[in-house]
Amino acid sequence: MFEQVIGQQEAKERLLQLIEEQRLPHALMLCGPMGSGKMALAMAFAAYLLKRTSNDEAMLAKWEHPDLHFTYPTIKLPSMSADHKPVSDDFAREWHELVMAGPYFTMNEWLEMMGGENQQAIITAGESDALTHKLSLKSSQGGYKVSLIWLPERMNIECANKILKLLEEPPQQTVFLLVCEEPEKLLETICSRVQRLDIKHIADEDIREALISKRGLTDENAQRVARMANGSWLKAIELLSVDSENELFLDMFQTLMRLAYQRKVKELKGWSERMAAMGREKQKRFLNYFLRLIRENFMYNFQNPDLCYMSEREEEFAKNFARFINEANIIPISELADKAIRDIGQNANAKIVFFDFALQMIVLLIAK
């Protein structure tokens, strides 16, 4: 399964070394940025552990091994009863379809699979109860039981406390693999019970080679995409998509900046309402895109191509716009976007958040 992992040779060797030196901890947490291959590494390592005591490769190839237990964020569907706490098994069919397509995927893809793009997925206390029951059973193959938890930072507090008890007193022959993007959101006590392995961005050269071998790109195109992907295989794949979400985000970015510069408050209100109509996950993705483009436009002013990572459309807009992002406003604009991300994450009224965001951009764009 390790052959599906793009690059990350050092991380692969460190994981295998734990086995060779018989230093495998009961709980490992793989941390790193989105698209770095954390989940791909965790799934490959889980398969490697289970394969040591089971020769049934067909089960592993289909991710249907009885001793492999996936935990992931879920949503509450309208069809569920009021007192039901959603668990991973409620979406087992959708999850299986997702992982069979490959070990690189986004929360947005997962939300679409569940049918809840406008919701925020969490891991509930019901999931921790279900997992406790599963892990209390003996291993069906006589080897390890592997609990692979995708995005544990999305556990609610009740779930987190119950998982903490499992980590403090792990069931026999159980290995926990946590795949985390925002470890700072986890309970400190959970972080102290796991051995952390930080996964770096994928090297540009590894992405370039994978684009050539897996996607058939020419060397020149692969090199450009790899450079813009900034160490993320997910970003590289996204850049290849004709109907990339980034096209919409660029249009929204350009509209915001033009209206803010022209001080068209009524039209900015309309812009904020269009933003509010998007799901919260999509709103946060736009704000992260906004942050990237603000940084890129600031760097564009230094006239050093090696410092800029933009698509042709983005760079075309930057030619006239970049001069408005300078030393006086780069930090307050970035702080404004960070605050909006926090507010959206805390379920603030999106219309108010984005209208305030747009109005403040009027002032910040004229900062000298």
Side-chain angles (χ1 to χ4, degrees):
M1 298 295 180
F2 279 108
E3 65 275 4
Q4 293 189 42
V5 181
I6 309 297
Q8 302 297 2
Q9 190 58 37
E10 181 183 346
K12 295 176 193 175
E13 291 173 359
R14 287 184 64 185
L15 288 169
L16 295 176
Q17 191 175 13
L18 292 173
I19 303 294
E20 294 170 7
E21 298 178 357
Q22 298 184 344
R23 293 189 296 109
L24 180 66
H26 74 277
L28 265 171
M29 183 164 72
L30 281 66
C31 299
M34 186 173 67
S36 58
K38 304 178 299 299
M39 189 61 171
L41 280 164
M43 290 171 66
F45 190 54
Y48 181 83
L49 290 174
L50 294 170
K51 191 176 178 181
R52 290 166 63 88
T53 52
S54 171
N55 291 320
D56 196 337
E57 293 191 24
M59 288 191 298
L60 288 172
K62 294 180 180 179
W63 299 111
E64 293 177 339
H65 196 288
D67 293 324
L68 175 59
H69 306 288
F70 285 108
T71 292
Y72 36 84
T74 58
I75 59 172
K76 190 156 189 174
L77 297 174
S79 58
M80 296 175 176
S81 63
D83 59 345
H84 178 68
K85 297 176 180 178
V87 296
S88 296
D89 285 348
D90 291 334
F91 299 91
R93 179 182 60 81
E94 292 84 354
W95 178 259
H96 185 254
E97 185 179 340
L98 183 72
V99 297
M100 284 300 292
Y104 292 85
F105 46 82
T106 65
M107 173 54 70
N108 183 45
E109 291 175 279
W110 176 226
L111 284 169
E112 288 180 359
M113 292 288 287
M114 290 190 289
E117 190 177 6
N118 293 329
Q119 295 192 48
Q120 294 203 71
I122 64 168
I123 303 176
T124 70
E127 177 63 27
S128 54
D129 293 337
L131 184 60
T132 299
H133 172 70
K134 290 175 183 176
L135 297 179
S136 68
L137 305 175
K138 287 186 176 181
S139 164
S140 68
Q141 305 294 308
Y144 288 114
K145 293 173 289 182
V146 179
S147 170
L148 202 166
I149 305 177
W150 183 52
L151 303 183
E153 61 266 38
R154 287 180 176 254
M155 295 187 292
N156 64 21
I157 190 64
E158 186 180 357
C159 175
N161 283 322
K162 290 183 177 181
I163 292 294
L164 175 60
K165 289 183 180 179
L166 272 178
L167 294 174
E168 289 176 335
E169 299 177 12
Q172 190 175 10
Q173 287 184 293
T174 299
V175 175
F176 292 91
L177 298 176
L178 285 66
V179 180
C180 185
E181 284 181 8
E182 300 175 288
E184 68 278 3
K185 292 185 177 180
L186 277 171
L187 293 177
E188 288 186 14
T189 43
I190 287 181
C191 292
S192 68
R193 296 295 188 279
V194 301
Q195 182 172 320
R196 176 169 168 168
L197 178 60
D198 287 311
I199 309 301
K200 303 174 184 177
H201 286 99
I202 307 172
D204 286 359
E205 180 60 20
D206 290 327
I207 292 181
R208 185 191 67 81
E209 290 179 359
L211 287 169
I212 293 171
S213 62
K214 296 177 181 292
R215 298 285 169 156
L217 268 67
T218 64
D219 184 73
E220 183 180 349
N221 286 338
Q223 192 166 350
R224 182 180 178 88
V225 172
R227 196 160 166 270
M228 288 178 57
N230 196 29
S232 168
W233 178 248
L234 288 171
K235 181 66 177 177
I237 298 307
E238 178 186 289
L239 289 166
L240 298 180
S241 175
V242 175
D243 59 343
S244 168
E245 187 177 67
N246 278 13
E247 294 296 303
L248 168 64
F249 288 168
L250 176 56
D251 290 338
M252 295 298 286
F253 179 89
Q254 291 175 337
T255 300
L256 169 63
M257 295 309 176
R258 285 169 176 155
L259 293 177
Y261 178 73
Q262 296 167 2
R263 304 186 184 188
K264 293 187 175 181
V265 175
K266 183 179 179 181
E267 287 83 353
L268 284 171
K269 188 172 187 295
W271 178 90
S272 64
E273 288 171 351
R274 290 197 299 276
M275 284 301 310
M278 297 180 184
R280 291 190 180 271
E281 295 294 337
K282 194 169 186 176
Q283 290 164 0
K284 287 190 285 187
R285 290 197 302 277
F286 167 76
L287 288 165
N288 280 305
Y289 173 86
F290 174 94
L291 277 168
R292 181 183 73 80
L293 221 51
I294 287 295
R295 286 192 294 266
E296 294 300 335
N297 275 269
F298 178 67
M299 298 307 295
Y300 187 86
N301 292 311
F302 294 92
Q303 297 298 311
N304 185 343
D306 291 336
L307 297 177
C308 296
Y309 298 82
M310 290 186 281
S311 68
E312 290 183 23
R313 270 197 71 202
E314 290 168 348
E315 191 169 343
E316 189 64 29
F317 182 69
K319 288 177 182 177
N320 295 318
F321 173 72
R323 66 180 186 275
F324 294 100
I325 306 302
N326 51 57
E327 291 87 348
N329 62 16
I330 177 69
I331 292 178
I333 289 176
S334 298
E335 290 175 343
L336 179 65
D338 285 333
K339 181 179 182 298
I341 291 171
R342 290 195 301 272
D343 290 342
I344 292 299
Q346 294 170 1
N347 292 321
N349 185 305
K351 285 185 180 180
I352 295 175
V353 171
F354 282 105
F355 190 40
D356 178 68
F357 182 83
L359 291 178
Q360 292 197 53
M361 281 306 305
I362 293 176
V363 178
L364 291 171
L365 276 185
I366 62 174
K368 301 295 183 183

